[in-house]
Amino acid sequence: MTGEAPSEITLLRTRSLTSVVRQEIERLILTGAIEAGSRLNEQALALRLGVSRGPVREAIRGLERQGLVVTVVNQGSYVRKVSIEEALELYDLRALLTARACEVIAAAPPPGAEDRLAALVAEMERAADADDAPRYYALNLEFHEAVMELGSGPRAQRIYADLGNELHLFRRRALVQPEKMRESNAEHATLLAAIRARDPAAAHAAGEAHIRGGKRRFAASSPGASSTKPRQTARGGHDDQEPPTQHDPPEPARRRRR
């Protein structure tokens, strides 16, 4: 009947479809299929995904809240580009959250926590030995998600996930070379050892050191990044290098909607 409110089933179907569309667009962005700075064409995405424009529009709004997309009034939505300064701040925030989660786990490891993390470290070692960067990167994400799940609450996990999403486009290229993967995984092993030793202070330090190591690998993966001025870390230290500069986004994408 005209004028009737949508039924619960209709709303559920719409929300579920929007969620699926958002996840697929997110995947396209994080894998680089849609590049940073690119404009998101609702009609083209709707055709590509076989849906109407409504769920695509809602999905893009969700991705904007998540930090992956920036929308400019009267110009459209773009895949966000992160500046050096923003990336540094994101890394520092990740260091705080990771260090705290590691400390909590070491103080009272949940049942099965050590075995779960150890299995991921072993899998990452095999991926590095096989020079399988995509596999290593996926396992690395799973490892950090496990750390946050085991050592923090839902809100911290959501914040960490959003921070990680904004850095995916940078972090992937820092773990391409086998030696970088092995270096990264050695840090994972140090973190795991501190948890097994039930040493919260050492686990905190290892978690923070791992994120700082990620920043250094990140910087080394881009020419010219080492010329930037070192910046203070979350606990007062300094990194040897800063993350790389991305190319400037399109002019409209630099003016964020207020």
Side-chain angles (χ1 to χ4, degrees):
M1 182 182 297
T2 304
E4 286 188 350
S7 68
E8 289 187 19
I9 293 178
T10 300
L11 288 173
L12 180 60
R13 286 174 177 169
T14 301
R15 289 169 184 166
S16 299
L17 180 58
T18 297
S19 178
V20 170
V21 170
R22 178 177 53 77
Q23 290 173 11
E24 179 58 17
I25 296 175
E26 179 180 354
R27 185 190 68 79
L28 293 171
I29 291 172
L30 297 182
T31 59
I34 301 177
E35 297 181 351
S38 299
R39 186 176 183 277
L40 295 174
N41 185 304
E42 290 181 6
Q43 183 174 357
L45 285 169
L47 288 172
R48 179 172 186 167
L49 301 178
V51 298
S52 65
R53 292 180 64 174
V56 172
R57 185 177 302 113
E58 290 302 315
I60 289 173
R61 288 174 182 166
L63 293 171
E64 182 182 10
R65 291 190 294 270
Q66 195 174 325
L68 282 179
V69 170
V70 59
T71 298
V72 182
V73 177
N74 299 325
Q75 297 190 47
S77 298
Y78 299 81
V79 178
R80 185 181 175 194
K81 284 192 172 184
V82 180
S83 69
I84 292 178
E85 291 76 14
E86 288 176 303
L88 285 168
E89 183 178 15
L90 293 172
Y91 264 100
D92 288 341
L93 292 170
R94 286 182 66 241
L96 289 170
L97 291 169
T98 300
R100 175 59 181 163
C102 293
E103 180 180 347
V104 169
I105 296 171
E114 295 169 49
D115 289 343
R116 180 180 175 185
L117 295 176
L120 288 167
V121 170
E123 283 293 321
M124 282 186 279
E125 190 67 23
R126 285 190 280 272
D129 289 341
D131 194 14
D132 189 346
R135 174 67 174 158
Y136 183 91
Y137 186 72
L139 289 165
N140 180 59
L141 294 180
E142 187 176 346
F143 180 88
H144 284 276
E145 288 169 1
V147 166
M148 292 305 299
E149 177 187 326
L150 293 166
S152 64
R155 178 167 294 186
Q157 291 174 43
R158 287 195 300 271
I159 293 171
Y160 183 90
D162 288 345
L163 296 173
N165 282 337
E166 294 191 57
L167 285 172
H168 273 313
L169 300 177
F170 290 102
R171 291 166 64 199
R172 185 180 295 274
R173 67 184 174 199
L175 293 172
V176 172
Q177 299 172 323
E179 61 270 23
K180 299 302 182 184
M181 289 186 270
R182 293 191 184 94
E183 180 182 294
S184 167
N185 207 36
E187 294 163 2
H188 292 149
T190 299
L191 192 163
L192 177 60
I195 290 173
R196 282 175 162 165
R198 305 293 193 274
D199 189 335
H204 188 289
E208 185 177 2
H210 176 50
I211 303 302
R212 289 203 305 271
K215 286 178 71 173
R216 289 192 293 271
R217 285 184 290 275
F218 183 50
S221 69
S222 291
S226 60
S227 63
T228 57
K229 181 181 178 181
R231 176 170 166 165
Q232 200 170 22
T233 62
R235 296 182 67 187
H238 287 83
D239 288 319
D240 296 332
Q241 296 172 303
E242 291 190 351
T245 305
Q246 278 209 349
H247 299 299
D248 289 338
E251 184 65 27
R254 291 204 295 267
R255 298 195 300 275
R256 301 184 66 184
R257 185 172 64 185
R258 299 293 181 184

